[in-house]
Amino acid sequence: ASASDWQKRTVYQVMTDRFALPPSEDAQGKTCDASAQLPCGGTWSGIQNHLDYIQAMGFNAIWISPIVSQLQVPLPPPADGTAYHGYWPENIYALNDAFGSDSDLRSLINAVHSRGMYIMVDVVVNHMATYNTTSPSAAPTSPLAGISLNGYNPFNQDSDYHSFCPITDYGNQTMVEQCWLGSAAVPLADVNTEDQATVDLYYSWINTLISNYTFDGLRIDTVKHIRKSFWPGFANASSVFTLGEVLDGDAQYVGDYTNYLDAVFDYPGWGMILQAFQTTGGSMSMLAQSIQNTSTYFKNGGFSTGSFLENHDQPRFPSFTNDTGLIKNAIAYTFIGDGLPIVYEGQEQEYSGGAVPNNREAIWLSAYEQDKPLFKHITSLNMARQAAMNGSSSFLSTHMKVLSTSAHSIALAKYPMLASLTNIGQGSQGQVSVSVGSLGTGYSANSQLVEVLSCTEVNVDGSGNLAFTTQQGAPAVFLPSSMVNSKVCTNL
Ligand code: ABC
Ligand code: CA
């Protein structure tokens, strides 16, 4: 599937080891202590068995953890833990048998496709993970000292890697690209992607992987750690939508990568969402500025981004605040903009784990409860986005605009959707006051709207003013009444 196919979707991020146990073990109430960094037993068959849960929230795409065979470390594990997450490749031509068999994976992909959903696979091509047997407490001093490449496929020679050097200065781009991530105990041996044979090998690997399994898209790990000129050929060889991870807060730095891949995660915007909604003192004008930066520095502005509030690498949002007003606003932000909305498993359950590894709680511990407030909130946002898309053919090609900001609120329009977000907090009522007529939002005086999160009807007055009061610091998302069906609001 292409970038424009994906633009119509919303994505649920599945961390395979933590989402669902295989059907035979599902009811056994197995525990999972995220802090132990050990495999908890989630599998591809588990995901397949719980697609209803994901679809019930309105998602029509999933992103799964990397699928290839992983480095095994001795137990008890080193400080970095084990490869339960899938980001420690050792053999890129074999599947990770902890997640199931080849036929389990194919069965999952078929099940996803038969529901009309897409599946995105995560891939790691910057490094192979290694275990330093000689001095796991000290940094390696020479290339691959203490490391055996027995069993690696491919890249089982020292010469397949850049010479060892740790990344110590993220401001030095050559170092970022050619030195090594990871720790002394588990160095992530940096593949020599300057070598043309290695480049060709990766291009052919991704081409085969995609055609063999019919994945619809790629989440690409560690994009800033390989030279930019590597990426267009890789993306072409995959022939599907590419969404890259460039972990940096600078919009200009991150945005340039959209000239090499279809899209990148909106890490700069994420930082601004955090500052805006983490407390009742966040700045709305800084958030507005970041929207401006996205339009300046990203190819097609926000259209070339993946929009997220949480992922498996960052502390969960409710670890910063338990104010449900703030949490709902921050989640809403990811659904009303130009980027591809992505929700990390567990957000719907209001999981609140802090930094890695505590942000990787098993979802089965929630019993896949569908009555939770955030499960319903996310469902409403998915339904509203779908209704906007169905209601107006221009929704997907219209850039979100900032209408106004005030101390505690920001009004945003992406016709036919109009939103007002606030960081006033759950203890307060919010006053929405927007003049719609003069702003090119597509609304006019006397329009009949529905605020779709509370399912309340509201009319724009004769002079084009929209006034609305939100309760408990909630966000407000409006659509024209004519577009609101019973999937969005059962009472209407
Ligand atoms: C494990 C343990 C951790 C332990 C670590 C040493 O070992 O879990 O508790 O601290 C995988 C696993 C991790 C594992 C690592 C290392 O491998 O998931 O659990 O950590 O073994 C991607 C993936 C990530 C994955 C890998 C490796 C890469 O999403 O899940 O990790 O395949 C860098 C990379 C980024 C990478 C990330 C983990 O490391 O660039 O691709 N993520 C600065 C740098 C970033 C850097 C980041 C690290 O620090 O600029 O490049 O990310 O925290 C902002 C700034 C940013 C700044 C941040 C901290 O602040 O703008 O620039 O980022 O404001
Ligand atoms: Ca590299």
Side-chain angles (χ1 to χ4, degrees):
S2 68
S4 60
D5 296 330
W6 277 87
Q7 222 200 342
K8 305 184 184 79
R9 306 274 164 158
T10 61
V11 183
Y12 184 79
Q13 179 192 354
V14 170
M15 194 170 203
T16 304
D17 181 60
R18 301 296 159 89
F19 181 64
L21 297 166
S24 59
E25 296 170 26
D26 208 15
Q28 290 170 18
K30 194 169 170 186
T31 60
C32 171
D33 171 10
S35 70
Q37 304 191 96
L38 297 170
C40 284
T43 62
W44 295 314
S45 62
I47 302 171
Q48 181 176 342
N49 197 33
H50 286 281
L51 288 173
D52 281 346
Y53 172 81
I54 298 171
Q55 216 174 11
M57 253 178 295
F59 292 101
N60 43 26
I62 61 171
W63 149 25
I64 60 169
S65 303
I67 61 172
V68 304
S69 180
Q70 299 283 299
L71 171 75
Q72 304 297 315
V73 293
L75 298 177
D80 324 48
T82 65
Y84 70 93
H85 41 69
Y87 293 96
W88 290 355
E90 182 178 289
N91 179 350
I92 66 172
Y93 293 111
L95 293 176
N96 182 351
D97 55 16
F99 294 163
S101 66
D102 182 81
S103 69
D104 293 341
L105 178 58
R106 290 178 191 279
S107 170
L108 167 63
I109 296 166
N110 283 338
V112 168
H113 285 160
S114 66
R115 288 166 186 255
M117 296 169 74
Y118 285 168
I119 182 166
M120 172 181 283
V121 68
D122 205 327
V123 293
V124 181
V125 295
N126 173 66
H127 52 261
M128 301 287 260
T130 59
Y131 182 66
N132 186 346
T133 50
T134 51
S135 53
S137 57
T141 48
S142 64
L144 297 162
I147 289 166
S148 160
L149 294 174
N150 257 340
Y152 281 68
N153 191 9
F155 313 136
N156 59 7
Q157 307 293 317
D158 285 12
S159 59
D160 292 322
Y161 300 92
H162 288 126
S163 304
F164 172 76
C165 48
I167 299 174
T168 52
D169 175 8
Y170 276 97
N172 176 341
Q173 186 60 28
T174 307
M175 177 183 272
V176 167
E177 292 172 5
Q178 301 186 12
C179 290
W180 296 23
L181 284 164
S183 70
V186 184
L188 301 180
D190 203 68
V191 176
N192 181 7
T193 44
E194 271 50 55
D195 176 64
Q196 190 57 44
T198 295
V199 171
D200 292 342
L201 185 152
Y202 269 141
Y203 289 2
S204 130
W205 172 76
I206 195 64
N207 182 275
T208 305
L209 187 87
I210 296 294
S211 54
N212 191 7
Y213 290 103
T214 66
F215 288 113
D216 305 288
L218 287 185
R219 182 271 187 189
I220 307 177
D221 195 56
T222 44
V223 163
K224 74 181 197 184
H225 297 279
I226 298 184
R227 64 193 159 91
K228 289 173 180 167
S229 55
F230 172 85
W231 294 116
F234 187 78
N236 277 338
S238 82
S239 81
V240 293
F241 172 62
T242 50
L243 174 60
E245 181 226 16
V246 180
L247 205 177
D248 201 281
D250 185 85
Q252 185 165 9
Y253 179 85
V254 175
D256 191 45
Y257 284 88
T258 61
N259 296 309
Y260 302 87
L261 292 171
D262 288 324
V264 297
F265 288 92
D266 188 9
Y267 255 111
W270 169 77
M272 288 298 113
I273 304 174
L274 286 202
Q275 74 76 26
F277 298 109
Q278 213 167 64
T279 70
T280 54
S283 160
M284 293 299 165
S285 53
M286 279 171 68
L287 182 59
Q289 179 59 48
S290 99
I291 294 166
Q292 181 56 47
N293 290 345
T294 305
S295 66
T296 306
Y297 296 120
F298 289 63
K299 171 187 68 183
N300 306 323
F303 294 144
S304 52
T305 68
S307 197
F308 66 98
L309 179 65
E310 296 181 13
N311 64 33
H312 63 297
D313 288 332
Q314 304 299 340
R316 289 188 180 274
F317 190 76
S319 73
F320 301 119
T321 176
N322 59 12
D323 182 309
T324 53
L326 295 178
I327 295 169
K328 285 185 175 175
N329 278 276
I331 293 177
Y333 186 83
T334 49
F335 281 89
I336 60 177
D338 298 340
L340 174 65
I342 303 161
V343 166
Y344 172 47
E345 61 176 28
Q347 280 186 242
E348 71 281 8
Q349 298 291 343
E350 208 172 330
Y351 278 1
S352 58
V356 172
N358 299 317
N359 58 347
R360 299 170 176 183
E361 309 95 318
I363 305 305
W364 57 85
L365 300 175
S366 72
Y368 308 96
E369 182 57 66
Q370 300 195 14
D371 282 332
K372 292 283 181 61
L374 296 184
F375 186 101
K376 292 180 178 167
H377 183 58
I378 290 168
T379 308
S380 297
L381 289 163
N382 262 322
M383 294 304 150
R385 195 172 166 93
Q386 196 63 52
M389 229 173 274
N390 296 340
S392 167
S393 56
S394 61
F395 178 69
L396 291 174
S397 55
T398 302
H399 280 286
M400 180 179 73
K401 289 193 213 50
V402 178
L403 299 183
S404 58
T405 60
S406 66
H408 286 291
S409 71
I410 185 165
L412 300 157
K414 180 176 170 71
Y415 186 80
M417 193 179 264
L418 187 67
S420 177
L421 304 183
T422 177
N423 66 2
I424 200 154
Q426 64 187 6
S428 306
Q429 289 188 336
Q431 300 302 329
V432 176
S433 172
V434 182
S435 172
V436 301
S438 57
L439 295 159
T441 57
Y443 293 107
S444 50
N446 303 313
S447 300
Q448 299 186 309
L449 310 179
V450 174
E451 195 290 297
V452 298
L453 300 175
S454 60
C455 290
T456 310
E457 296 182 285
V458 47
N459 294 338
V460 177
D461 76 12
S463 342
N465 294 316
L466 168 63
F468 185 76
T469 304
T470 59
Q471 304 299 328
Q472 297 169 338
V477 176
F478 304 94
L479 286 175
S481 302
S482 59
M483 297 179 191
V484 177
N485 56 28
S486 61
K487 280 189 176 170
V488 187
C489 287
T490 42
N491 61 321
L492 298 174

